Amino acid sequence: MKKILVIGANGFVGRRILDNLSENGACEVFGCSLHPDILPKNGGNYHFITTDIRDEAAVKQLFKDVQPDVVINCSALSVPDYCEQHREEAYAINVSAVENLAYCCEHQGSRLIHLSTDFVFDGRSDRLYTEEDLPAPLNYYGVTKYQGE
Protein backbone atom coordinates (compact mmCIF):
# COMPACT_ATOMS: atom_id res chain seq x y z
CA MET A 1 0.00 0.00 0.00
CA LYS A 2 1.41 3.38 -1.00
CA LYS A 3 2.20 5.88 1.73
CA ILE A 4 1.24 9.50 1.11
CA LEU A 5 2.49 12.34 3.29
CA VAL A 6 0.50 15.59 3.17
CA ILE A 7 2.57 18.48 4.51
CA GLY A 8 0.57 21.53 5.58
CA ALA A 9 -2.37 19.30 6.48
CA ASN A 10 -3.95 21.92 8.75
CA GLY A 11 -4.28 24.41 5.91
CA PHE A 12 -7.27 24.91 3.62
CA VAL A 13 -6.00 22.84 0.68
CA GLY A 14 -3.95 20.41 2.73
CA ARG A 15 -6.94 19.48 4.90
CA ARG A 16 -9.11 18.73 1.88
CA ILE A 17 -6.40 16.58 0.32
CA LEU A 18 -5.82 14.76 3.63
CA ASP A 19 -9.54 14.11 4.11
CA ASN A 20 -10.09 13.00 0.52
CA LEU A 21 -7.15 10.62 0.43
CA SER A 22 -7.95 9.15 3.83
CA GLU A 23 -11.59 8.49 2.91
CA ASN A 24 -10.94 6.21 -0.05
CA GLY A 25 -8.66 3.82 1.87
CA ALA A 26 -6.52 3.06 -1.18
CA CYS A 27 -3.35 4.31 0.52
CA GLU A 28 -1.87 4.91 3.94
CA VAL A 29 -2.13 8.63 4.63
CA PHE A 30 -0.05 10.81 6.94
CA GLY A 31 -0.80 14.44 7.72
CA CYS A 32 1.90 16.79 8.92
CA SER A 33 1.73 20.33 10.24
CA LEU A 34 3.50 22.70 12.61
CA HIS A 35 0.56 22.42 15.02
CA PRO A 36 -1.45 19.41 16.22
CA ASP A 37 -4.35 18.18 14.09
CA ILE A 38 -6.96 20.95 14.04
CA LEU A 39 -9.76 18.60 13.05
CA PRO A 40 -9.04 15.18 14.52
CA LYS A 41 -11.51 12.54 13.46
CA ASN A 42 -12.29 9.76 15.86
CA GLY A 43 -11.06 6.69 14.06
CA GLY A 44 -9.85 8.84 11.15
CA ASN A 45 -8.08 6.84 8.49
CA TYR A 46 -4.82 8.80 8.71
CA HIS A 47 -1.88 9.39 11.00
CA PHE A 48 -1.01 12.92 12.08
CA ILE A 49 2.51 14.07 12.91
CA THR A 50 3.40 17.48 14.29
CA THR A 51 6.63 18.66 12.66
CA ASP A 52 8.29 22.01 11.99
CA ILE A 53 9.44 21.69 8.39
CA ARG A 54 12.04 24.40 9.03
CA ASP A 55 13.89 21.88 11.22
CA GLU A 56 16.00 19.80 8.82
CA ALA A 57 16.73 17.07 11.36
CA ALA A 58 13.02 16.75 12.22
CA VAL A 59 12.12 16.44 8.53
CA LYS A 60 14.78 13.79 7.98
CA GLN A 61 13.36 11.87 10.95
CA LEU A 62 9.84 12.29 9.55
CA PHE A 63 10.95 10.73 6.27
CA LYS A 64 12.75 7.94 8.11
CA ASP A 65 9.63 7.17 10.17
CA VAL A 66 7.03 7.45 7.40
CA GLN A 67 9.05 6.38 4.33
CA PRO A 68 6.54 8.05 2.00
CA ASP A 69 6.05 7.09 -1.62
CA VAL A 70 4.47 10.47 -2.35
CA VAL A 71 4.82 13.80 -0.57
CA ILE A 72 2.27 16.54 -1.24
CA ASN A 73 3.57 19.87 -0.01
CA CYS A 74 0.71 22.25 0.75
CA SER A 75 2.63 24.22 3.35
CA ALA A 76 3.42 27.90 3.00
CA LEU A 77 3.67 31.12 4.86
CA SER A 78 0.96 32.58 2.66
CA VAL A 79 -0.09 35.98 3.98
CA PRO A 80 1.56 38.47 1.60
CA ASP A 81 1.64 41.42 4.03
CA TYR A 82 3.10 39.22 6.78
CA CYS A 83 5.75 37.89 4.38
CA GLU A 84 6.80 41.45 3.53
CA GLN A 85 7.39 42.20 7.21
CA HIS A 86 8.89 38.81 8.12
CA ARG A 87 11.11 38.00 5.18
CA GLU A 88 13.47 35.61 6.98
CA GLU A 89 10.57 33.52 8.22
CA ALA A 90 8.91 33.54 4.79
CA TYR A 91 12.15 32.45 3.13
CA ALA A 92 12.73 29.71 5.71
CA ILE A 93 9.28 28.18 5.13
CA ASN A 94 8.65 28.87 1.44
CA VAL A 95 12.17 28.28 0.11
CA SER A 96 14.63 26.59 2.48
CA ALA A 97 12.15 24.07 3.89
CA VAL A 98 10.97 23.18 0.37
CA GLU A 99 14.57 22.64 -0.71
CA ASN A 100 15.04 20.25 2.20
CA LEU A 101 11.79 18.44 1.35
CA ALA A 102 13.00 17.99 -2.22
CA TYR A 103 16.33 16.66 -0.96
CA CYS A 104 14.59 14.20 1.38
CA CYS A 105 12.26 13.07 -1.41
CA GLU A 106 15.19 12.48 -3.72
CA HIS A 107 17.06 10.55 -1.03
CA GLN A 108 13.96 8.50 -0.12
CA GLY A 109 12.87 7.96 -3.73
CA SER A 110 9.57 9.73 -3.05
CA ARG A 111 7.61 11.68 -5.63
CA LEU A 112 7.18 15.33 -4.61
CA ILE A 113 4.07 17.29 -5.51
CA HIS A 114 4.61 20.93 -4.59
CA LEU A 115 1.71 23.36 -4.61
CA SER A 116 2.54 26.93 -5.48
CA THR A 117 0.41 30.03 -6.07
CA ASP A 118 -0.76 32.39 -8.76
CA PHE A 119 1.15 35.08 -6.84
CA VAL A 120 4.21 34.03 -8.84
CA PHE A 121 2.61 35.99 -11.71
CA ASP A 122 1.86 39.71 -11.95
CA GLY A 123 -1.81 39.27 -12.88
CA ARG A 124 -1.58 41.31 -16.06
CA SER A 125 -2.40 38.50 -18.45
CA ASP A 126 -5.76 38.53 -20.23
CA ARG A 127 -5.82 34.72 -20.28
CA LEU A 128 -5.22 31.85 -17.86
CA TYR A 129 -1.57 31.25 -17.01
CA THR A 130 0.18 28.06 -18.07
CA GLU A 131 3.35 26.36 -16.93
CA GLU A 132 5.15 27.94 -19.85
CA ASP A 133 4.44 31.53 -18.73
CA LEU A 134 7.33 33.37 -17.11
CA PRO A 135 6.81 34.25 -13.45
CA ALA A 136 6.81 37.90 -12.47
CA PRO A 137 5.95 38.12 -8.75
CA LEU A 138 4.87 41.49 -7.39
CA ASN A 139 5.49 40.83 -3.69
CA TYR A 140 7.84 38.92 -1.44
CA TYR A 141 5.37 36.08 -0.91
CA GLY A 142 5.28 35.51 -4.66
CA VAL A 143 9.07 35.75 -4.84
CA THR A 144 9.53 33.08 -2.16
CA LYS A 145 6.98 30.75 -3.71
CA TYR A 146 8.71 31.12 -7.09
CA GLN A 147 12.08 30.42 -5.48
CA GLY A 148 10.56 27.39 -3.79
CA GLU A 149 9.47 26.04 -7.15
Side-chain angles (χ1 to χ4, degrees):
M1 182 175 286
K2 290 215 182 266
K3 294 180 182 180
I4 300 178
L5 174 60
V6 180
I7 298 178
N10 275 336
F12 183 79
V13 174
R15 174 53 58 171
R16 275 129 194 96
I17 291 172
L18 178 71
D19 288 347
N20 186 290
L21 289 173
S22 64
E23 285 174 2
N24 73 24
C27 50
E28 189 173 3
V29 181
F30 297 80
C32 171
S33 186
L34 177 61
H35 303 288
D37 193 353
I38 61 168
L39 195 64
K41 292 183 178 183
N42 292 334
N45 195 23
Y46 63 83
H47 312 277
F48 203 92
I49 304 163
T50 303
T51 304
D52 185 345
I53 63 167
R54 296 171 293 184
D55 182 339
E56 289 184 23
V59 172
K60 287 178 183 174
Q61 186 63 48
L62 174 67
F63 272 73
K64 183 178 178 183
D65 294 345
V66 174
Q67 298 182 0
D69 296 295
V70 178
V71 175
I72 304 172
N73 182 30
C74 305
S75 69
L77 187 57
S78 60
V79 179
D81 290 342
Y82 186 88
C83 290
E84 291 293 339
Q85 300 300 317
H86 301 87
R87 289 181 173 226
E88 286 182 20
E89 184 180 1
Y91 189 89
I93 295 169
N94 295 344
V95 182
S96 298
V98 174
E99 180 180 22
N100 188 45
L101 289 173
Y103 169 82
C104 289
C105 283
E106 182 177 37
H107 182 74
Q108 177 70 37
S110 307
R111 177 175 297 266
L112 175 63
I113 300 170
H114 174 70
L115 279 64
S116 191
T117 177
D118 59 348
F119 276 78
V120 300
F121 301 110
D122 59 17
R124 295 187 179 122
S125 178
D126 58 353
R127 58 174 178 69
L128 294 176
Y129 288 103
T130 69
E131 292 177 353
E132 288 77 32
D133 288 315
L134 294 176
L138 297 177
N139 57 36
Y140 194 68
Y141 167 62
V143 168
T144 61
K145 289 301 286 184
Y146 176 48
Q147 290 173 332
E149 290 179 13

